[in-house]
């Protein structure tokens, strides 16, 4: 039974890590200009926008490697809350054209990050299943 639990943790880590990393790679290629605009429009200092690289590049890599997994998952969860607050807040109480919640993707990313933070990396990770931050 432990093997399937560890395999499930691996699946969660890899899926969330890869999907969030796509967002980060896009920002590496195109730059953080859009994020800088959103952050400064909210009255925040522009350097905060560079935190997107921590949340969408570094943290997903931690998940994929299974090293400091709980920290990486926490960073992704915080990143999603910031994204919802700065970009998607107007959609919070709305439905999409398909009938689902307008923020179901962001909600799934947030919930999966929380689950990984609580579950840890599991055996199939660089940090192993017994590390404090894993």
């Amino acid at each position: 039974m432990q093997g399937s639990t560890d395999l499930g943790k691996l699946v969660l880590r890899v899926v969330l890590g890869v999907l969030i990393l796509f967002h980060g790679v896009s920002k590496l290629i195109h730059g953080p200009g859009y994020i800088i605009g959103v952050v400064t429009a909210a009255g925040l200092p522009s350097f905060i926008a560079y935190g997107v690289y921590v949340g969408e590049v570094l943290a997903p890599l931690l998940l994929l490697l299974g090293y400091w997994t709980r920290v990486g998952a926490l960073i992704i969860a915080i990143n999603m809350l910031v994204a919802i607050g700065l970009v998607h807040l107007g959609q919070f109480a709305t439905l999409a054209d398909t009938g689902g919640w307008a923020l179901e993707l962001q909600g799934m990313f947030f919930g999966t990050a929380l689950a990984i933070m609580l579950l840890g990396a599991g055996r199939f990770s660089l940090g192993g299943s017994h590390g404090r931050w894993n």
Side-chain angles (χ1 to χ4, degrees), residues 14-35:
V14 169
V15 169
L16 182 61
V18 167
L19 292 176
I20 294 290
L21 190 58
F22 276 121
H23 290 269
V25 168
S26 172
K27 289 175 185 76
L28 286 173
I29 293 170
H30 302 291
Y34 172 74
I35 304 300

Side-chain angles (χ1 to χ4, degrees), residues 43-97:
L44 299 169
S46 62
F47 74 87
I48 290 176
Y50 291 92
V52 75
Y53 292 119
V54 175
E56 294 183 4
V57 177
L58 178 62
L61 290 175
L62 292 174
L63 293 187
L64 289 169
L65 295 172
Y67 189 75
W68 280 42
T69 304
R70 293 178 194 266
V71 173
L74 175 62
I75 291 169
I76 290 172
I78 291 169
N79 188 68
M80 291 315 306
L81 290 176
V82 171
I84 290 169
L86 290 177
V87 179
H88 302 287
L89 200 55
Q91 299 170 300
F92 192 81
T94 63
L95 297 177
D97 293 338

